């Protein structure tokens, strides 16, 4: 578990930054304010969700390439290498699935619902804001694990001890 310290720290740091941003926005006082905040969040969230879905899908495809490359190399890799690739795949899949759910939620016509409880907009805003933060944190943790894995591969195939 020690080798996953930086990805864990990265995930927690992004979540804390998101929590800090949410605290800076302040309390949502009414449905009208929540509706305006939802509309603003959805405009940026559509682009962000789309980018994260693209990045996660690309990462998954590249992990398949990496596995093929590792299998063809003369170098023997330990179980930790395969565990890292599995973790990358899990994180990228979680980020991809969450981004798809968030994208679906962001495409709802926010102002078109008339018969909803008054706290629905505030609850939806909180849920989408939190989902967006977790989605970004998952991608950041994925990047940290990818870096560690690539560093391990480079260190294994580089002659000498320069890596």
């Amino acid at each position: 578990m020690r080798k996953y310290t930086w990805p864990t720290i990265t995930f927690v740091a992004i979540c804390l930054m998101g929590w800090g941003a949410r605290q800076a926005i302040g309390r949502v006082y009414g449905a009208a304010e929540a509706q305006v905040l939802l509309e603003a969040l959805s405009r940026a969230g559509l682009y962000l969700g789309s980018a994260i879905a693209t990045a996660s899908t690309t990462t998954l495809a590249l992990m398949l390439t990496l596995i093929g490359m590792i299998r063809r190399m003369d170098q023997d890799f330990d179980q930790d290498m395969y565990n890292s690739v599995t973790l990358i795949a899990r994180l990228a899949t979680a980020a991809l699935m969450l981004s798809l759910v968030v994208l679906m939620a962001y495409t709802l016509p926010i102002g078109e619902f008339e018969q909803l409880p008054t706290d629905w907009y505030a609850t939806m805003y909180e849920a989408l804001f939190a989902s967006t933060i977790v989605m970004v944190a998952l991608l950041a943790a994925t990047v940290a694990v990818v870096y560690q894995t690539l560093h391990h591969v480079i260190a294994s195939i580089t002659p000498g001890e320069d890596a």
Side-chain angles (χ1 to χ4, degrees), residues 11-79:
F11 180 84
V12 170
I14 296 294
C15 287
L16 288 174
M17 283 190 271
W19 179 80
R22 180 63 194 95
Q23 294 303 106
I25 292 169
R27 185 163 188 247
V28 178
Y29 291 103
E33 183 184 17
Q35 189 174 352
V36 169
L37 288 171
L38 263 171
E39 288 174 2
L41 183 63
S42 69
R43 282 192 297 274
L46 284 171
Y47 294 110
L48 183 61
S50 177
I52 288 177
T54 301
S56 297
T57 304
T58 303
T59 300
L60 287 170
L62 290 174
M63 287 304 97
L64 289 174
T65 304
L66 179 63
I67 290 171
M69 182 187 80
I70 290 171
R71 300 284 296 170
R72 283 192 301 269
M73 292 175 58
D74 292 334
Q75 188 73 14
D76 288 330
F77 288 100
D78 55 2
Q79 188 63 35

Side-chain angles (χ1 to χ4, degrees), residues 76-91:
D76 288 330
F77 288 100
D78 55 2
Q79 188 63 35
D80 286 343
M81 169 58 90
Y82 292 103
N83 290 342
S84 292
V85 172
T86 301
L87 180 60
I88 292 167
R90 285 182 181 151
L91 289 171

